[in-house]
Amino acid sequence: MATTSKTVAARTRALADGNLIPLFGLGVWQVPDGPTTVNAVRWALELGYRHIDTAQVYGNEASVGRALRESGVARDQVFVTTKFNPSRKDAAAELERSRQRLGTDYVDLYLVHWPQGGATRAWPGMERARELGYARSIGVSNFGRRELDQLLAVAPVPPVVDQVQFSPFEDRRALLEGAQQRNIVVEAYSPLGTGRHLSNQTVRRIASSIRRTPAQVLLRWCLQRDLVVIPKSTHRERIAENAQIFDFSLSDENMAALDSLDRTDGTDRALERPWW
Ligand code: A2P
């Protein structure tokens, strides 16, 4: 466990605003509020995770906050992300509510969850939240390259992160390259395809050939593609397994085999279909 702790927490990269983000974290999308979320976050912190990703629409910020407090890990040692629900009016006002639910003075990263109402609609409230010191860094989620450009054209404070679904099967290469050129770090959500990609034959073959698990192969692929990655699990042993990705690498050949699984044609879009 000590090894996991050092290994997971130590790996960070700098965002364009100078703040550091851990390369790996726990996502809690679809984890019910209450003991399930409290346990998942508590186990992750025990196992050395120092990055937790929640959102207003997940409905589990209070449990994330509870686990953070009960863990005994200092607040400044954990990178906490939440996301503005863009069906609400004002991002700064909603962060006030998130801070209360989380029981924290600030979040490390605050994202516009999706570009409802257009790419720029929520941004003034995001900038205000940052100015007030309640969000250390601000960014977006589910923004394609076109939406990033619409926002960058007008934003005094540029977004430093775009969180999108990313995996060998959703290999949005043009979006990743575009984001990199614009100094925006891409975070991969649903890197396991919410579990669906774990049974793929190519993924399984590579995993068994290097004595790793399918989840580790998919997560390592993300790291080698310069993505920050936030897999979700509610099981302690899986939370531990998913963190063991800093002590091996995938060969060029295995990376290429995984790259060939892409079904998006290397798109610059964040989503195949918007849900709003
Ligand atoms: P569970 O939460 O029951 O552990 P994604 O991160 O792509 O959204 O994937 C999350 C899904 O994958 C969840 O259903 C989670 O199940 C499952 N999962 C997460 N880690 C592993 C793992 N190491 N092995 C098998 N399934 C996993």
Side-chain angles (χ1 to χ4, degrees), residues 42-270:
R42 182 163 56 86
W43 291 329
L45 293 169
E46 279 171 18
L47 290 160
Y49 285 56
R50 292 294 180 268
H51 178 175
I52 309 293
D53 183 282
T54 182
Q56 290 161 0
V57 294
Y58 300 171
N60 55 20
E61 290 173 312
S63 297
V64 169
R66 183 170 159 204
L68 278 171
R69 279 191 303 286
E70 291 178 358
S71 73
V73 180
R75 172 66 190 90
D76 65 0
Q77 297 302 302
V78 188
F79 189 97
V80 178
T81 299
T82 196
K83 310 185 193 80
F84 169 55
N85 171 0
S87 61
R88 297 287 170 86
K89 199 162 147 225
D90 178 45
E94 296 305 324
L95 183 56
E96 203 50 50
R97 299 194 174 92
S98 281
R99 292 197 309 124
Q100 277 168 23
R101 287 187 293 263
L102 285 161
T104 59
D105 294 338
Y106 65 93
V107 296
D108 295 276
L109 180 61
Y110 191 36
L111 305 176
V112 180
H113 207 150
W114 60 86
Q116 184 166 326
T120 60
R121 206 278 298 171
W123 202 248
M126 301 294 288
E127 289 178 330
R128 206 160 57 253
R130 181 175 169 277
E131 270 161 33
L132 291 166
Y134 298 148
R136 293 268 157 96
S137 295
I138 52 175
V140 296
S141 181
N142 297 301
F143 277 44
R145 193 167 58 181
R146 211 165 60 99
E147 283 125 358
L148 289 178
D149 280 339
Q150 288 167 352
L151 181 54
L152 287 167
V154 298
V157 180
V160 294
V161 160
D162 188 8
Q163 184 181 118
V164 297
Q165 188 187 11
F166 219 112
S167 80
F169 300 81
E170 291 91 13
D171 185 2
R172 309 177 189 283
R173 273 186 301 277
L175 175 54
L176 176 59
E177 280 163 24
Q180 285 168 337
Q181 285 158 5
R182 291 156 181 76
N183 251 326
I184 294 171
V185 167
V186 176
E187 290 187 280
Y189 75 72
S190 299
L192 312 177
T194 61
R196 290 186 317 277
H197 301 337
L198 295 166
S199 54
N200 175 269
Q201 282 311 308
T202 303
V203 175
R204 291 171 65 92
R205 176 182 59 73
I206 292 171
S208 75
S209 75
I210 59 171
R211 297 175 189 277
R212 292 286 171 164
T213 67
Q216 289 167 337
V217 166
L218 289 166
L219 299 173
R220 180 72 207 180
W221 179 90
C222 288
L223 291 185
Q224 289 184 218
R225 293 296 298 277
D226 281 334
L227 299 156
V228 171
V229 66
I230 47 165
K232 169 256 178 186
S233 177
T234 51
H235 292 87
R236 195 180 207 282
E237 65 283 3
R238 291 176 175 173
I239 293 171
E241 173 191 323
N242 293 348
Q244 302 292 336
I245 53 172
F246 293 95
D247 58 346
F248 74 103
S249 55
L250 295 166
S251 65
D252 291 348
E253 193 188 340
N254 283 338
M255 284 298 286
L258 292 164
D259 289 350
S260 73
L261 299 172
D262 175 44
R263 296 186 297 224
T264 73
D265 208 15
T267 185
D268 65 0
R269 298 171 58 165

